């Protein structure tokens, strides 16, 4: 009978996105995409200083919290392992941290490393390979897994519980197609952030790709990035921030993205601000004064559009609590 489930930290917390943001900060012109980082992140990391400084703002991967709650409801202890266990357990005490051991046999091990999973299979340990890089490349995974007798999960929502004779499965929040502020199982675990020394500048609102309002349901003001603004923000990791804005002398709280939009494969850096307010008109050409006060999370790629929407919804909830 299964009593424990060992899970690699990188598929519970969005570890790779932090690595990617650090690398993009170190070298914005680096011809490197998130898939490269996810496949072998450590080889690109010049120093661990920024990594260790920002571990506290890691967010749970979409679906991870529901999975942990499900395992506990089945009297299975979820155990998280990582080479950074001693540091991470200080920031994430809600997780059970322990070094992995292959001496336990009545366990499930979930890990993103194919070679590691295959080694465990040879020891007769039940294992599931969890996709954590090349998230949208199905051809790659079909080729890699061809003729391999190994269980595979593309996401927590598609995890093969039936292969372990579970009669029930985790209940995930319904798919979302527009950003809202409805709390879900992960929202309270999203409440990690770093308070910053305020960074203030004024910029002109320009036309963007019109995704925020039409596709995502979260209208944003795209800002013109001058050389001066580039200098002021050069020490910020690509990611999601919260702050205070002034538009036509009216104060609004805001949540913003500074980065490269990896989900949409955008390349140029953008600054996009969502203001907590109701607006009946566009403000193209107007000046927006922005004071950045909190770092919420690094920018991320996502497995599905629904995951992107749920992440932004949580960003919006946490940002409102900080700046409104």
């Amino acid at each position: 009978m299964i009593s424990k489930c060992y899970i690699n930290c990188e598929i519970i917390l969005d570890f790779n996105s932090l690595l990617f943001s650090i690398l993009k900060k170190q070298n914005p012109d680096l011809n490197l995409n998130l898939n490269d980082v996810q496949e072998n992140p450590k080889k690109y990391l010049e120093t661990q200083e920024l990594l260790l400084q920002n571990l506290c703002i890691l967010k749970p991967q979409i679906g991870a919290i529901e999975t942990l709650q499900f395992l506990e409801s089945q009297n299975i202890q979820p155990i998280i392992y990582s080479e950074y266990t001693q540091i991470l357990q200080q920031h994430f005490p809600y997780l059970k941290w322990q070094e992995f051991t292959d001496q336990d046999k009545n366990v499930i091990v979930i890990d993103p490393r194919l070679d590691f999973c295959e080694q465990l299979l040879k020891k007769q340990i039940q294992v599931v390979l969890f996709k954590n890089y090349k998230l949208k490349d199905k051809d790659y995974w079909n080729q890699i897994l061809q003729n391999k007798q190994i269980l595979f999960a593309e996401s927590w929502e598609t995890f093969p519980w039936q292969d372990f004779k579970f009669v029930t499965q985790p209940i995930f929040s319904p798919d979302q197609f527009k950003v809202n502020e409805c709390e879900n199982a992960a929202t309270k675990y999203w409440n990690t952030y770093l308070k910053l020394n305020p960074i203030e500048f004024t910029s002109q609102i320009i036309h963007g790709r019109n995704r925020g309002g039409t596709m995502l349901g979260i209208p944003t003001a795209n800002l013109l990035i001058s050389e001066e603004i580039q200098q002021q923000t050069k020490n910020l990791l690509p990611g999601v921030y919260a702050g205070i804005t002034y538009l036509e002398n009216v104060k609004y709280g805001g949540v913003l993205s500074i980065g490269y939009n990896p989900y949409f494969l955008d390349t140029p850096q953008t600054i996009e601000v969502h203001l907590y307010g109701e607006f009946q008109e566009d403000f193209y050409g107007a000046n927006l004064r922005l004071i950045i006060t909190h770092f919420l999370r690094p920018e991320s790629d996502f497995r599905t559009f629904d995951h992107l929407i749920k992440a932004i919804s949580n960003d919006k909830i946490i940002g409102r609590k900080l700046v409104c």
Side-chain angles (χ1 to χ4, degrees):
M1 182 177 179
I2 296 171
S3 60
K4 299 177 183 178
C5 182
Y6 285 95
I7 310 175
N8 188 307
C9 162
E10 295 176 17
I11 53 179
I12 293 295
L13 300 173
D14 192 5
F15 197 85
N16 286 341
S17 292
L18 177 56
L19 286 170
F20 179 69
S21 290
I22 290 170
L23 292 171
K24 289 295 286 189
K25 174 190 173 299
Q26 290 174 341
N27 187 350
D29 298 323
L30 187 66
N31 185 21
L32 180 72
N33 63 44
L34 191 53
N35 282 332
D36 298 323
V37 179
Q38 289 168 331
E39 190 167 3
N40 192 355
K42 304 296 189 301
K43 80 176 186 179
Y44 295 103
L45 192 63
E46 296 174 5
T47 171
Q48 292 193 349
E49 182 180 357
L50 279 174
L51 177 64
L52 298 178
Q53 288 175 359
N54 291 278
L55 284 176
C56 63
I57 52 88
L58 288 173
K59 299 296 187 284
Q61 295 224 30
I62 303 298
I65 297 299
E66 293 93 331
T67 300
L68 296 176
Q69 293 173 345
F70 167 73
L71 287 168
E72 291 172 345
S73 74
Q74 302 297 304
N75 296 316
I76 297 173
Q77 185 179 37
I79 298 173
I80 315 303
Y81 58 92
S82 168
E83 62 182 285
Y84 301 103
T85 290
Q86 290 187 336
I87 299 172
L88 287 168
Q89 63 187 359
Q90 300 173 25
H91 300 296
F92 303 96
Y94 65 87
L95 298 174
K96 170 67 176 176
W97 297 90
Q98 184 177 310
E99 293 303 318
F100 174 75
T101 172
D102 59 9
Q103 301 305 306
D104 288 333
K105 298 302 179 184
N106 295 322
V107 302
I108 302 173
V109 178
I110 311 173
D111 197 278
R113 298 165 294 177
L114 177 59
D115 55 348
F116 180 74
C117 289
E118 289 183 319
Q119 291 172 18
L120 296 183
L121 278 178
K122 293 176 182 177
K123 297 179 181 181
Q124 305 300 308
I125 295 175
Q126 299 183 93
V127 63
V128 178
L129 175 65
F130 196 97
K131 180 164 67 171
N132 206 37
Y133 60 94
K134 295 189 182 294
L135 299 181
K136 303 180 186 74
D137 193 341
K138 292 192 174 184
D139 290 339
Y140 170 85
W141 285 103
N142 288 336
Q143 183 177 356
I144 288 293
L145 296 172
Q146 192 172 16
N147 301 321
K148 291 188 181 295
Q149 300 299 314
I150 189 168
L151 292 176
F152 179 65
E154 294 195 20
S155 67
W156 288 116
E157 292 91 335
T158 61
F159 192 88
W161 299 107
Q162 67 280 1
D163 289 272
F164 298 99
K165 311 302 181 186
F166 284 91
V167 296
T168 60
Q169 296 189 14
I171 298 175
F172 298 98
S173 57
D175 284 0
Q176 295 180 18
F177 303 98
K178 294 289 184 181
V179 171
N180 56 52
E181 292 189 49
C182 295
E183 298 202 5
N184 54 61
T187 302
K188 70 177 182 178
Y189 303 102
W190 215 260
N191 193 27
T192 56
Y193 54 86
L194 284 173
K195 191 171 183 179
L196 306 174
N197 292 324
I199 297 172
E200 180 177 349
F201 56 84
T202 298
S203 181
Q204 184 182 48
I205 298 174
I206 61 174
H207 287 272
R209 297 180 183 273
N210 202 30
R211 283 195 295 244
T214 58
M215 183 182 294
L216 303 176
I218 178 170
T220 59
N222 290 263
L223 300 185
L224 181 66
I225 304 176
S226 65
E227 290 186 11
E228 181 180 355
I229 291 173
Q230 283 183 329
Q231 285 299 311
Q232 287 181 272
T233 59
K234 69 179 182 179
N235 291 324
L236 297 178
L237 294 179
V240 179
Y241 293 80
I244 303 297
T245 70
Y246 291 87
L247 178 63
E248 297 187 335
N249 296 317
V250 179
K251 180 180 178 181
Y252 302 95
V255 64
L256 60 140
S257 166
I258 301 177
Y260 305 90
N261 301 312
Y263 180 81
F264 294 105
L265 301 177
D266 289 352
T267 300
Q269 185 185 40
T270 61
I271 299 179
E272 303 174 54
V273 188
H274 171 73
L275 279 61
Y276 292 107
E278 298 293 332
F279 304 95
Q280 302 302 318
E281 58 181 311
D282 295 323
F283 291 92
Y284 297 124
N287 286 331
L288 181 76
R289 179 182 165 203
L290 174 62
I291 307 169
I292 304 172
T293 57
H294 296 81
F295 180 34
L296 302 188
R297 66 172 174 87
E299 69 176 358
S300 304
D301 193 6
F302 294 94
R303 300 168 197 277
T304 66
F305 184 73
D306 169 62
H307 284 194
L308 169 66
I309 293 294
K310 287 176 178 174
I312 298 176
S313 296
N314 284 331
D315 295 334
K316 191 176 178 184
I317 292 169
I318 302 306
R320 183 183 292 275
K321 292 178 180 178
L322 291 172
V323 297
C324 291

